[in-house]
Amino acid sequence: MKLNFPSLMLAVALLSPFTSQAETSVAEAVKAQRIRELKKEILRIAEQASGKVVYDNEDNDPRVRARLMPLVQELISLAPARTQQQLLPDVVGVWKSVWSDLTYYSPSVPLANGMYQVVFPNGFYYNLSAYDGPQGTYMGVLRGTFVVAEPALRIQFVKATRSPEVMPRGADVATLAMRAELGVYDVELDPNNAPALGFRTDFRQEYVDDELRIGTGIVSSGFDTLFILRRADKVE
């Protein structure tokens, strides 16, 4: 059989865009699957390591960070590059802190399973934490403000109060934050967070989607602290 090379070349040329699209679709599917795997493993390690945070950082073993960082760096490399301003709409909302290697220097320390953050779209946020220590269990309320200062958010702590009211399981976290904004918990100063009032620092959102948020900032023990958070609307 004699091949008609012009016709064959035309057929190849016509098929090339479809082949390229198919290859791109496969590559995107592989990337999406890898992102899901990385997120699952990051959360697995972080949740397994979380527990009661102690002020000498003993439970935030640096080996946990060593396991997390290669996974975090790969995840960041696979995600589309976005500025802090572009990430901000995804940052807004309620988050539960799963793990961080922030060092605490106080007899009363936040329980890792009881730390939530509510980020509002108009430049402020609340950290609501269940604390345990010599003064008993209570809810710490830390209000912060932020502005976009690429390549990070510039944050400042502006109010630190506490309430003997503990965060009840199943409570709506955003409602607790709104009550805090209305001054419901402005009963007494929180001695643990009060020294941080006025403190300014940069916090960088490294990865954010509708399930997972990873950030770095607040220099502790000589390096940027790593924060792993996930979506959680209710107190767990």
Side-chain angles (χ1 to χ4, degrees):
M1 178 180 176
K2 185 177 180 181
L3 295 177
N4 186 328
F5 285 102
S7 298
L8 181 60
M9 292 174 66
L10 177 61
V12 171
L14 290 172
L15 287 173
S16 292
F18 297 101
T19 303
S20 178
Q21 290 174 11
E23 291 174 347
T24 300
S25 297
V26 170
E28 289 299 321
V30 171
K31 180 190 289 187
Q33 177 60 30
R34 181 57 181 159
I35 287 175
R36 287 192 292 270
E37 293 171 353
L38 288 166
K39 288 171 53 179
K40 183 177 180 180
E41 183 64 6
I42 288 169
L43 281 173
R44 186 191 70 79
I45 293 172
E47 289 176 341
Q48 187 179 62
S50 69
K52 183 176 180 181
V53 182
V54 296
Y55 70 90
D56 61 4
N57 221 35
E58 182 179 309
D59 290 344
N60 289 340
D61 194 316
R63 288 174 294 185
V64 177
R65 182 187 178 100
R67 294 172 64 195
L68 285 169
M69 284 309 296
L71 303 175
V72 168
Q73 289 166 349
E74 183 180 354
L75 179 61
I76 293 170
S77 73
L78 293 175
R82 292 194 288 169
T83 65
Q84 299 295 297
Q85 186 67 57
Q86 291 169 331
L87 287 168
L88 196 53
D90 291 334
V91 173
V92 170
V94 182
W95 299 91
K96 179 178 181 180
S97 176
V98 181
W99 185 88
S100 83
D101 48 5
L102 181 65
T103 303
Y104 293 92
Y105 300 98
S106 168
S108 293
V109 295
L111 304 177
N113 290 328
M115 300 171 64
Y116 297 84
Q117 185 176 86
V118 185
V119 182
F120 290 84
N122 46 343
F124 70 96
Y125 67 94
Y126 274 93
N127 288 347
L128 305 173
S129 306
Y131 277 79
D132 186 29
Q135 299 167 326
T137 301
Y138 65 91
M139 180 172 68
V141 179
L142 180 65
R143 188 185 194 274
T145 60
F146 66 86
V147 294
V148 176
E150 300 289 356
L153 298 181
R154 181 91 17 97
I155 65 174
Q156 181 178 11
F157 303 136
V158 297
K159 184 170 71 173
T161 60
R162 68 176 186 173
S163 170
E165 174 185 326
V166 296
M167 294 187 289
R169 187 179 298 274
D172 186 84
V173 180
T175 299
L176 295 176
M178 287 303 302
R179 285 169 59 83
E181 183 65 7
L182 293 172
V184 174
Y185 306 123
D186 291 356
V187 179
E188 58 182 334
L189 201 64
D190 180 1
N192 296 299
N193 284 320
L197 291 178
F199 176 71
R200 290 186 177 92
T201 189
D202 286 349
F203 187 86
R204 180 182 175 90
Q205 315 295 328
E206 303 288 359
Y207 178 88
V208 187
D209 64 17
D210 57 354
E211 299 173 323
L212 177 68
R213 178 175 160 218
I214 300 173
T216 55
I218 308 178
V219 174
S220 176
S221 301
F223 51 76
D224 278 351
T225 301
L226 176 66
F227 295 86
I228 309 292
L229 306 95
R230 64 170 172 81
R231 291 284 186 191
D233 293 332
K234 307 290 185 182
V235 176
E236 299 174 0

